[in-house]
């Protein structure tokens, strides 16, 4: 379960306090519909102050959790990576700023590019409550990516849930610019087949540009799931998020949590810690055995049956979760 930083949870409540509930619920339902449609929007989606507040309240907890999950894997696969600067493109209300500061305490400065003035206004206010100077002092660049011919270079360059809002040529341009701007590039997209295919296309482009894939893939070969549509499978993961009472109210949902499905990629100008395999599905536990679906270092996906006869590995397999490395690094 991923919990929001206390300061963010409190700031989100302050942000929506006093706003008419009916309007917030209506904006939330409209945004849910737009994001579910999956098509690139013709105009900015976060168009008003109510939209931006609704987005922050109902959506940011989930995007924060997914981005944090991806960044935690970046940290695991590159233990010596100690970024000082971050560039976040399409930053919305700032989820990636908060997630990066939580994972990388070495960050001292961040820049956000965001086209929506309403999202920026909310993001700035929320950031003002952060315990991390890098978040509080972030520079917010107004306007679209196309309006910024020059982007600041940064150790860590992130774009979360952005490719989905861009046309194909713009997606390619974004990926190229991220590759040029950063030491480590992190992309996060919805964990749908279409979201995965966008990440897979970016992966091909980044490796063509000479970057190394650090996560989730334990190899730099072609992605076996992207190349084989016959498998009908796609690489995605899930982050469980607590829902506050307000979150439930806005989404008109009753469950106390939600599972945010996401696809992601971490690529870098340097090679990472040699990776183990990656667990691609919820492990299936039966009496005396655990069945794992693992993407391996050889670039193939295979089912691995771990039984009691495997001793220590069996104990580790019982604890391993969807998205974890397999076998776990020693000490985990
Ligand atoms: C779905 S939101 C994701 C926000 C944030 N990254 C998150 O994960 O919560 C996509 C954001 O990208 C912004 N965006 C879309 N196209 C953009 C562009 N061409 N230039 C700058 N920002 C853009 C939108 O305004 C929106 O705030």
């Amino acid at each position: 379960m991923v919990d929001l930083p206390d300061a963010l949870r409190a700031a989100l409540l302050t942000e929506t306090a006093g706003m008419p509930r009916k309007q917030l619920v209506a904006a939330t339902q409209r945004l849910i519909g737009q994001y579910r449609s999956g098509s690139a929007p013709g105009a900015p989606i976060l168009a008003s102050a109510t939209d931006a507040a609704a987005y922050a309240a109902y959506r940011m907890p989930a995007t924060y959790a997914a981005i944090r999950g991806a960044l935690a894997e970046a940290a695991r696969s590159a233990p010596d990576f100690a970024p000082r600067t971050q560039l976040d493109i399409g930053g919305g209300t700032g989820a990636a700023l908060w997630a990066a500061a939580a994972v990388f305490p070495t960050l001292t400065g961040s820049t956000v590019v965001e086209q929506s003035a309403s999202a920026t206004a909310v993001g700035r206010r929320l950031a003002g409550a952060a315990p991390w100077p890098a978040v509080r002092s972030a520079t917010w660049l107004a306007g679209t990516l196309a309006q910024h011919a020059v982007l600041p270079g940064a150790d860590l360059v992130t774009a979360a849930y952005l490719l989905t809002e861009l046309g194909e040529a713009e997606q390619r341009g974004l990926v190229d610019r991220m590759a040029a701007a950063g030491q480590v590039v992190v992309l996060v997209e919805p964990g749908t087949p279409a979201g995965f295919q966008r990440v897979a296309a970016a992966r091909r482009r980044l490796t063509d540009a000479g970057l190394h894939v650090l996560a989730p893939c334990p190899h730099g070969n072609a992605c076996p799931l992207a190349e084989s549509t016959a498998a009908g499978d796609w690489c995605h993961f899930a982050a469980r998020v607590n829902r506050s009472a307000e979150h439930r109210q806005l989404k008109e949902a009753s469950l106390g949590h939600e599972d945010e499905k996401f696809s992601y990629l971490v690529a870098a100008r340097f090679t990472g810690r040699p990776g183990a395999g990656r667990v691609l599905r919820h492990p299936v536990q039966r009496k005396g055995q655990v069945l794992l679906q693992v993407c391996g270092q050889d670039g193939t996906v295979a089912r691995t049956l771990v039984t009691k006869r495997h001793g220590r590995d069996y104990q580790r397999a019982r604890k391993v979760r969807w998205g974890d490395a397999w076998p776990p690094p020693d000490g985990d």
Side-chain angles (χ1 to χ4, degrees), residues 35 44 46 55 60 63 67 88-93 95 113-116 119 143-146 160-162 165-166 170:
Y35 288 126
L46 301 179
Y55 180 87
M60 194 176 169
T63 61
I67 301 164
D88 183 40
I89 306 175
T93 51
V113 179
E114 172 52 54
Q115 66 176 2
S116 157
T144 63
L145 185 58
Y161 299 89
L162 174 61
E165 296 201 7
L166 305 178
E170 274 182 306

